[in-house]
Amino acid sequence: MDDLDQELLSALRHNARTPVSSLAVMTGASRATVAARIDRLVASGTIAAFTIRTGHETRAAGVRAIVMIEVLGKLADRVADQLRGLPQVRALHSTNGKWDFVAELEDRDLVSFDETLRRIRLINGINSTETSILLKTRKTGF
């Protein structure tokens, strides 16, 4: 991956709908080169998808949180499979240190969120959890 690829990725992270012609002007490369580079980045898996990210104004009032999870022994794969099966788990990250996983949760309200946490805590192999509710997002994206 060279500087042009990095520039294209940066621009597409900011706005995945940026036209190829605009990307060409921004980078100083030809339209054909930009299109070929994007095709190559998609084919290699570097770009997995073109998507939109909705703003807070389009979301129903809900609860978002980060849950740190400690797993007993060698049950991490089983626990991860069960966590991935919960629709409220938007992302699941493995990590080092005290916590084995960090789960990003989103639920419709506190009552439903409480039930989701209860279900998570009942998963065989989870030793302990620590939850932080997200109050305000100040920056998104990479």
Side-chain angles (χ1 to χ4, degrees), residues 27-43:
T27 61
S30 73
R31 189 179 185 288
T33 298
V34 169
R37 291 292 186 102
I38 291 171
D39 289 344
R40 191 184 76 206
L41 291 168
V42 169

Side-chain angles (χ1 to χ4, degrees), residues 31-81:
R31 189 179 185 288
T33 298
V34 169
R37 291 292 186 102
I38 291 171
D39 289 344
R40 191 184 76 206
L41 291 168
V42 169
S44 71
T46 301
I47 295 176
F50 295 88
T51 186
I52 62 166
R53 196 173 39 232
T54 59
H56 67 278
E57 67 279 352
T58 61
R59 289 187 180 152
V63 178
R64 295 179 310 125
I66 300 294
V67 180
M68 281 73 75
I69 301 166
E70 181 184 18
V71 177
L72 291 170
K74 298 179 180 181
L75 299 174
D77 289 340
R78 181 186 302 165
V79 168
D81 288 343

Side-chain angles (χ1 to χ4, degrees), residues 55-130:
H56 67 278
E57 67 279 352
T58 61
R59 289 187 180 152
V63 178
R64 295 179 310 125
I66 300 294
V67 180
M68 281 73 75
I69 301 166
E70 181 184 18
V71 177
L72 291 170
K74 298 179 180 181
L75 299 174
D77 289 340
R78 181 186 302 165
V79 168
D81 288 343
Q82 291 185 21
L83 289 168
R84 283 193 301 265
L86 296 173
Q88 297 84 356
V89 176
R90 299 294 185 213
L92 183 63
H93 312 276
S94 59
T95 186
N96 65 333
K98 177 181 179 183
W99 305 109
D100 299 295
F101 293 111
V102 174
E104 298 177 39
L105 270 60
E106 188 170 342
D107 220 323
R108 65 180 175 271
D109 55 40
L110 283 173
V111 172
S112 180
F113 179 72
D114 184 52
E115 175 59 22
T116 298
L117 284 179
R118 186 188 73 76
R119 289 178 62 198
I120 288 172
R121 291 179 182 132
L122 289 174
I123 292 173
N124 185 34
I126 290 183
N127 187 45
S128 64
T129 64
E130 182 177 312

